[in-house]
Amino acid sequence: MSWPTDHPPFRSVLFAPGNRADVLAKLPRSGPDAAVIDLEDATPADQKAEGRAIARTVTADLVAAHPDLSLLVRVNAPDTPFFADDVADGLGPGLAGVVVPKLESRAAVDAAVAALDAAGHADLPVMAGLETVAGVVDARTVTTHPRVAWCYFGAEDYVADLGGVRTPGNAEVAVARAQVAQAARLGGAHAVDMVTTDFGDEDRFLAEADEARTLGFAGKLCIHPAQVPLAHRGFRPSDDEVAWAARVVEAWETATARGDAAIQVDGGMVDEPVVRRARALLAAAE
């Protein structure tokens, strides 16, 4: 089956525990582009069954009350004993997609998709978690799968699997982030950047968002409502960028009408790749 490429990019993807109905009900308040009911890391093992029941109830309530909210559920990884029950019992109607963590190959996506289809969820696109060394190294095999519309980089799990050390400077994940962004581009998927675990550190969040946007990520994972407006700010082109892009597009259209294929704008050369970047900035600003 071929899937359309028009699934929306998400600047902010806000997670909340699947076993906390009170917290889940508040997901729309901060205005995230996407909200995720998390049956994986945020739901304790002894409350998985309760979390599935809550997820289905809350999904129905949120979809009815907030039809414009892109709501997803993160199931447990396919190689865990929880995955089958998550797919069978935790996914209600009206979801925008399903988040499947720790995917490492096309075969793994195939298996997850087969389980979703068998449970009656053939309409659900996948947000793929790339958060192991194998998942990052072989990211292209995941992101080019036709059911994968989004992917995210999970830095904490990746570094733990790597046996590395997590640092504030992010040097240990620089290559991995770039690999995930490149793989997403090759697959036509939207890439979402890693969590900033210190949700009180606004400066770090904004710095990481700036890095991620530079690399080609569309947005960032959020673990606290206060991070949502920061994500929207971090992934919005600046006024100067938008003004530059408008000048470039206008000058290019004028030049091509007279047969010129390369011009100068603000002292810099402009050709087709530059124009594509300018148009992308204008589209992001909208």
Side-chain angles (χ1 to χ4, degrees), residues 15-247:
F15 283 70
N19 63 323
R20 292 286 306 277
D22 57 332
V23 177
L24 293 172
K26 300 174 183 177
L27 275 171
R29 292 187 182 179
S30 57
D33 287 349
V36 178
I37 300 172
D38 189 9
L39 297 177
E40 193 210 13
D41 288 345
T43 299
D46 62 352
Q47 295 183 37
K48 298 291 189 186
E50 180 182 0
R52 294 180 198 112
I54 290 172
R56 288 183 63 87
T57 299
V58 170
T59 294
D61 293 344
L62 289 179
V63 168
H66 304 276
D68 295 331
L69 175 67
S70 292
L71 184 65
L72 301 89
V73 169
R74 179 161 71 172
V75 298
N76 286 270
D79 62 353
T80 67
F82 308 114
F83 175 76
D85 288 338
D86 287 351
V87 170
D89 301 328
L91 306 178
L95 292 171
V98 57
V99 184
V100 184
K102 298 178 179 63
L103 290 171
E104 298 182 341
S105 67
R106 188 178 185 90
V109 185
D110 282 339
V113 164
L116 288 166
D117 292 354
H121 302 297
D123 59 330
L124 283 182
V126 171
M127 178 182 289
L130 300 172
E131 45 198 331
T132 64
V133 174
V136 169
V137 170
D138 294 330
R140 183 177 182 177
T141 69
V142 173
T143 60
T144 54
H145 194 286
R147 281 284 282 275
V148 173
W150 313 272
C151 65
Y152 69 88
F153 173 55
E156 309 309 316
D157 282 300
Y158 168 80
V159 173
D161 188 37
L162 182 68
V165 177
R166 200 72 178 91
T167 67
N170 292 323
E172 69 281 5
V173 296
V175 172
R177 288 169 91 190
Q179 287 176 316
V180 169
Q182 289 172 336
R185 179 63 176 170
L186 290 173
H190 301 296
V192 185
D193 190 39
M194 60 194 184
V195 165
T196 301
T197 56
D198 184 353
F199 52 79
D201 191 339
E202 294 187 2
D203 290 341
R204 178 168 183 176
F205 188 98
L206 288 170
E208 289 183 357
D210 184 62
E211 293 168 357
R213 181 170 169 256
T214 299
L215 288 169
F217 283 85
K220 198 159 173 62
L221 302 179
C222 300
I223 55 172
H224 191 280
Q227 293 179 326
V228 170
L230 297 178
H232 294 176
R233 173 180 164 189
F235 287 91
R236 182 178 62 239
S238 68
D239 291 343
D240 287 344
E241 287 177 307
V242 172
W244 170 84
R247 290 195 299 273

